[in-house]
Amino acid sequence: MQFGAFIVLCGATHFINVWTFYMHSKTVAVVMTVAKVSCAVVSCATALMLVHIIPDLLSVKTRELFLKNRAEELDREMGRMLTQEETGRHVRMLTHEIRSTLDRHTILKTTLVELGRTLGLQECALWMPSRTGMNLQLSHTLNYQIQVGSTVPINLPIINEVFTSSRAIRIPYTCPLARIRPLVGRYVPPEVVALRVPLLNLSNFQINDWPDLSAKSYAIMVLILPTDSTRKWRDHELELVDVVADQVAVALSHAAILEESMRARDQLMEQNVALDLARREAEMAIHARNDFLAVMNHEMRTPMHAIIALSSLLLETELISEQRIMIETVLKSSNLLETLINDVLDLSRLEDGSLELDIRKFNLHGVFREVINLIQPITSVKKLSMSLILSPDLPLCAVGDENRLMQTILNVAGNAVKFTKEGYISIVASVAKPESSRDWRPPEFYPASTDGHFYLRVQVKDSGCGILPRDIPHLFTKFSQPRSGSNRINDGAGLGLAICRRFINTMGGHIWIESEGIDKGSIVAFIVKLGICDNPCDTTAAHQMAPQALPQPQPNYGSGDLIAHRPTFSFRDGGYTSSNPRYQRSV
Ligand code: ADP
């Protein structure tokens, strides 16, 4: 209003000046003066007011500018948020696509296709380190504009730069990693970015066509913008590429683990098939061996018995000395062969578990007396003193496999006779007491007496050639004999003790040897588990047993097969022969 009044008064003053140009009355002069004074007053008042108004106006103006800037900033922020949301959506979509499969090649192919579609790329390629780690090889590409399989050396500076950067970096389009096929027509040099894709270290896995991941290793992803526009990489696009590369790394590691476990499963299945085949082959081999054993049993032993019997009969006839030597050699060889056949049969039956114990009541004292009766003739020929001590608490009768027990005692006592030139042989039999068992060897064997059972302890001691302590552990191994020692002339096959140990183990016992060295004698001891007999058996026959009253050779013992070969002895011309060559050899 003031400003309006000022303008009006000012205009009025000038107008009055025009009107009073020639002549004017006093009244006009007064009016003009009043108008001029009013104008001056209003003008001063306006000036004074403007002093206050101008800062206000200025501050309003500043605020307006500030608000405008703020609005622009908010617009930008909004744009950024929208871009981020867009990027997130793309990442989610890409991640979903990538994770929808657990096949390595599909993951990589999907990544390239989806990145190419989302970012509108000219080309997108993945370079994997070769197995040697010296090169990068192009393994996957989007549009095949770079030759799949082409390689670049890994030590290029640009590759090193990409490896050391955790984010996507721009690389020249002329770089070997981005060298796409020559483009025809006009084109704009494209902008290219490259970034590393970590190949996670899978400590326990080594995948066939996968680089050696024991050291940290990377693949490189190269993304090329279209060559027909001047498009540049924008920040949110680079962010998206970074995030996708991490997702690809994780998905690849999962795929690698799955691939490896599938391969392991396939391997296991193959192994199972091979094992099945091996099992069937083993079963066939067992069948073949059983057939062979049957042949051995019937077809080989029968003629062998005939040879032995006829040779023995031949020896009874009138022969010239050369013939006698020849027949004796035939007899000795046949006996050796028979022992070998018997031992091999025993061993193979023991090993395949087909040997069953023939458990029945028997005269325990009788077994020892029979053993003594069998070896006494040999000891007397060799002039060895011989003793048998049966402890008073030894039951007269026991339940167990009499033939296997006798075979074991005969083997051990036979060895004692065989390896002793002079001195003595003693056999001690007693009931093993748990308290005395602590001294026994080996320390891990402690028999625990249970109801209805007792442990028989047999010790065969001799003053023979002895054994070196270092040889003792090998004596129970089949076909093994000590190479050292003073009295090693032995024509056995090294099966006797191996068979004894298996018999004794089958009977729930243990056997061991003690010797202080060469010419210091030996002690062979064993314990076996036997059943206590409730009704003592008739022992008269056993007590009366004498060499003349020994049983005649029988084809079968025990369980009805020919395995339990019981030696038989007879005196001839003041000498001594046995159906068991072990003793015949000793004589
Ligand atoms: P073989 O049937 O050849 O006699 P063994 O298994 O019965 O085989 O015995 C294996 C080896 O143990 C024998 O060759 C011998 O060296 C040794 N041996 C066994 N018993 C005695 C013993 N009482 N004295 C000395 N050496 C023995």
Side-chain angles (χ1 to χ4, degrees), residues 129 154 163 196-201 212-219:
I154 207 158
F163 278 170
R196 67 185 194 189
V197 179
L199 300 175
L200 301 186
N201 192 352
D212 182 6
L213 300 181
S214 46
K216 198 161 177 56
S217 143
Y218 298 102

Side-chain angles (χ1 to χ4, degrees), residues 130-177:
S130 62
R131 274 201 73 75
T132 54
M134 304 302 289
N135 296 311
L136 285 179
Q137 191 171 32
L138 190 88
S139 67
H140 295 80
T141 154
L142 178 62
N143 294 327
Y144 300 97
Q145 288 179 342
I146 311 176
Q147 186 75 43
V148 172
S150 42
T151 56
V152 289
I154 207 158
N155 50 9
L156 290 180
I158 188 73
I159 292 177
N160 200 31
E161 207 180 313
V162 177
F163 278 170
T164 46
S165 164
S166 59
R167 309 207 52 196
I169 58 166
R170 288 178 177 80
I171 59 168
Y173 78 100
T174 48
C175 161
L177 291 172

Side-chain angles (χ1 to χ4, degrees), residues 339 343 411-420 460-462 464-467 471 474-484 487-488 490-500 513 515 521-524 582 585:
T339 312
D343 285 354
N411 252 319
V412 173
N415 274 346
V417 175
K418 184 162 62 172
F419 295 107
T420 306
V460 180
K461 196 171 174 187
D462 65 63
C465 64
I467 308 159
D471 289 332
H474 310 292
L475 298 182
F476 295 105
T477 310
K478 55 186 176 183
F479 305 115
S480 94
Q481 289 171 341
R483 300 220 174 97
S484 51
N487 192 8
R488 296 295 116 196
N490 175 20
D491 49 7
L495 285 173
L497 287 178
I499 293 171
C500 284
I513 297 182
S515 176
S522 342
I523 298 175
V524 182
R582 206 177 285 280
R585 287 199 307 272

Side-chain angles (χ1 to χ4, degrees), residues 327-394:
I327 301 294
E328 275 174 357
T329 311
V330 169
L331 190 61
K332 193 173 174 186
S333 307
S334 312
N335 278 324
L336 271 174
L337 197 55
E338 199 206 7
T339 312
L340 196 65
I341 291 170
N342 287 334
D343 285 354
V344 168
L345 279 170
D346 274 350
L347 202 68
S348 51
R349 295 227 165 175
L350 280 163
E351 278 179 352
D352 74 4
S354 65
L355 186 122
E356 283 177 11
L357 295 179
D358 180 21
I359 307 289
R360 59 173 78 169
K361 194 165 73 174
F362 67 96
N363 186 325
L364 187 56
H365 289 214
V367 168
F368 286 99
R369 290 185 209 289
E370 193 172 344
V371 169
I372 290 294
N373 286 338
L374 289 171
I375 61 170
Q376 213 166 26
I378 318 165
T379 51
S380 53
V381 168
K382 291 184 87 173
K383 297 191 174 48
L384 301 173
S385 79
M386 165 101 214
S387 65
L388 168 69
I389 302 167
L390 301 178
S391 79
D393 60 347
L394 191 74

Side-chain angles (χ1 to χ4, degrees), residues 105-361:
H105 297 286
T106 318
I107 289 172
L108 294 174
K109 194 71 207 166
T110 312
T111 308
L112 300 193
V113 170
E114 291 300 323
L115 274 176
R117 201 163 54 84
T118 313
L119 300 172
L121 300 175
Q122 170 84 28
E123 180 57 293
C124 184
L126 192 87
W127 296 82
M128 292 288 266
S130 62
R131 274 201 73 75
T132 54
M134 304 302 289
N135 296 311
L136 285 179
Q137 191 171 32
L138 190 88
S139 67
H140 295 80
T141 154
L142 178 62
N143 294 327
Y144 300 97
Q145 288 179 342
I146 311 176
Q147 186 75 43
V148 172
S150 42
T151 56
V152 289
I154 207 158
N155 50 9
L156 290 180
I158 188 73
I159 292 177
N160 200 31
E161 207 180 313
V162 177
F163 278 170
T164 46
S165 164
S166 59
R167 309 207 52 196
I169 58 166
R170 288 178 177 80
I171 59 168
Y173 78 100
T174 48
C175 161
L177 291 172
R179 203 171 287 150
I180 50 180
R181 286 208 180 111
L183 295 160
V184 280
R186 284 168 59 94
Y187 71 93
V188 186
E191 255 211 354
V192 181
V193 294
L195 80 162
R196 67 185 194 189
V197 179
L199 300 175
L200 301 186
N201 192 352
L202 309 166
S203 54
N204 291 327
F205 294 115
Q206 183 52 57
I207 298 162
N208 284 344
D209 56 338
W210 200 244
D212 182 6
L213 300 181
S214 46
K216 198 161 177 56
S217 143
Y218 298 102
I220 288 185
M221 201 193 289
V222 177
L223 302 103
I224 305 171
L225 283 181
T227 48
D228 54 2
S229 74
T230 49
R231 225 183 95 192
K232 302 270 178 238
W233 281 102
R234 284 173 291 166
D235 286 347
H236 76 274
E237 289 175 334
L238 293 180
E239 263 170 38
L240 181 136
V241 171
D242 285 340
V243 176
V244 169
D246 290 345
Q247 293 294 337
V248 170
V250 173
L252 280 181
S253 71
H254 289 175
I257 291 168
L258 182 84
E259 213 171 290
E260 185 53 25
S261 55
M262 303 265 273
R263 201 167 65 85
R265 192 199 59 182
D266 289 351
Q267 252 178 12
L268 276 177
M269 277 166 67
E270 272 170 30
Q271 278 173 4
N272 277 349
V273 171
L275 278 175
D276 205 39
L277 198 73
R279 186 180 54 82
R280 266 184 275 143
E281 275 172 9
E283 278 171 6
M284 275 165 62
I286 288 171
H287 275 301
R289 194 186 57 179
N290 287 346
D291 290 350
F292 171 72
L293 288 181
V295 171
M296 290 270 277
N297 235 350
H298 291 102
E299 311 304 324
M300 291 180 77
R301 287 180 52 170
T302 314
M304 194 55 63
H305 282 146
I307 294 170
I308 292 168
L310 290 175
S311 311
S312 302
L313 283 176
L314 254 181
L315 279 177
E316 305 286 331
T317 60
E318 288 291 317
L319 295 170
I320 57 168
S321 63
E322 284 86 8
Q323 286 171 328
R324 182 167 295 281
I325 290 170
M326 279 191 273
I327 301 294
E328 275 174 357
T329 311
V330 169
L331 190 61
K332 193 173 174 186
S333 307
S334 312
N335 278 324
L336 271 174
L337 197 55
E338 199 206 7
T339 312
L340 196 65
I341 291 170
N342 287 334
D343 285 354
V344 168
L345 279 170
D346 274 350
L347 202 68
S348 51
R349 295 227 165 175
L350 280 163
E351 278 179 352
D352 74 4
S354 65
L355 186 122
E356 283 177 11
L357 295 179
D358 180 21
I359 307 289
R360 59 173 78 169
K361 194 165 73 174

